[in-house]
Amino acid sequence: MNDLIERANKYARGAGRIQTGQYRAATTNELLSTMLSWSSAALSAVVGTTIFAGLQKDSQWVIPTGLAVLVAAALVAVERTSKLGERAVAHRLAGSEYGRLRRHADMLRLRLEGGDLTRTDGLAELDKIGDALSDLAKTSRALPDGIYERAKKSFDKEHPKYSRTAPSH
């Protein structure tokens, strides 16, 4: 049964790491979306006010204002086409699904450690969790390597219980 307990622990650790990464990716996308939105709104307001105040053709501010108009338009285009808000929602949903699978693997490990399941039942449950993890990996947004590596370190530091390879009793 120790092999099943170790496998359940491995699934839980993997799901937890990815869960943490998905939540970090969601937060990053939300922050980028907010920054782009606010930047484009602020630039548009400055440009609109400047134009409303009435630039003269020989003014030294004509070229900088024209550039600011282009930058504001580019920021809006980037924010709209990158769909950062939608990406953030997708990462958050994937994070919650990975969390659900981690809790499932944790409960399985507890039931195995407590002797509440037969080996056959334990294998069947592990198979279900493995399939669910594979399916989720196919349908969820991929994590950038940098976000995953930071999430992995953070998760391992916050949850050292997943690092042990043998049951506690």
Side-chain angles (χ1 to χ4, degrees):
M1 289 291 238
N2 284 348
D3 59 332
L4 299 184
I5 293 168
E6 286 181 37
R7 177 60 59 168
N9 191 58
K10 180 180 176 183
Y11 283 172
R13 181 178 56 242
R17 287 172 171 174
I18 296 172
Q19 173 191 14
T20 301
Q22 290 288 357
Y23 284 139
R24 283 178 179 241
T27 301
T28 299
N29 282 307
E30 288 166 348
L31 179 64
L32 287 172
S33 177
T34 300
M35 287 173 42
L36 284 172
S37 296
W38 280 99
S39 298
S40 63
L43 252 154
S44 297
V46 167
V47 169
T49 304
T50 304
I51 291 172
F52 183 71
L55 290 173
Q56 297 178 2
K57 292 196 187 267
D58 59 347
S59 170
Q60 66 182 0
W61 297 104
V62 172
I63 291 176
T65 302
L67 289 174
V69 168
L70 291 174
V71 169
L75 287 173
V76 169
V78 166
E79 201 275 329
R80 294 276 45 115
T81 58
S82 65
K83 299 180 181 181
L84 290 167
E86 291 175 25
R87 290 169 62 179
V89 169
H91 282 297
R92 195 162 305 287
L93 289 173
S96 68
E97 282 300 306
Y98 277 105
R100 182 182 63 79
L101 290 173
R102 179 171 66 106
R103 289 185 297 278
H104 188 174
D106 282 341
M107 291 304 295
L108 174 60
R109 187 174 38 108
L110 289 173
R111 290 171 32 214
L112 287 166
E113 287 175 350
D116 299 333
L117 290 177
T118 65
R119 182 169 181 78
T120 303
D121 291 340
L123 283 169
E125 285 295 312
L126 278 173
D127 199 30
K128 286 181 194 175
I129 294 170
D131 287 346
L133 284 168
S134 295
D135 291 344
L136 188 53
K138 290 176 192 173
T139 60
S140 61
R141 292 193 69 86
L143 289 173
D145 290 340
I147 289 178
Y148 176 74
E149 288 303 321
R150 286 191 304 276
K152 181 178 158 183
K153 287 178 186 174
S154 172
F155 181 83
D156 290 350
K157 183 178 178 182
E158 292 174 17
H159 303 281
K161 66 184 176 198
Y162 291 107
S163 296
R164 67 171 194 246
T165 57
S168 58
H169 61 286

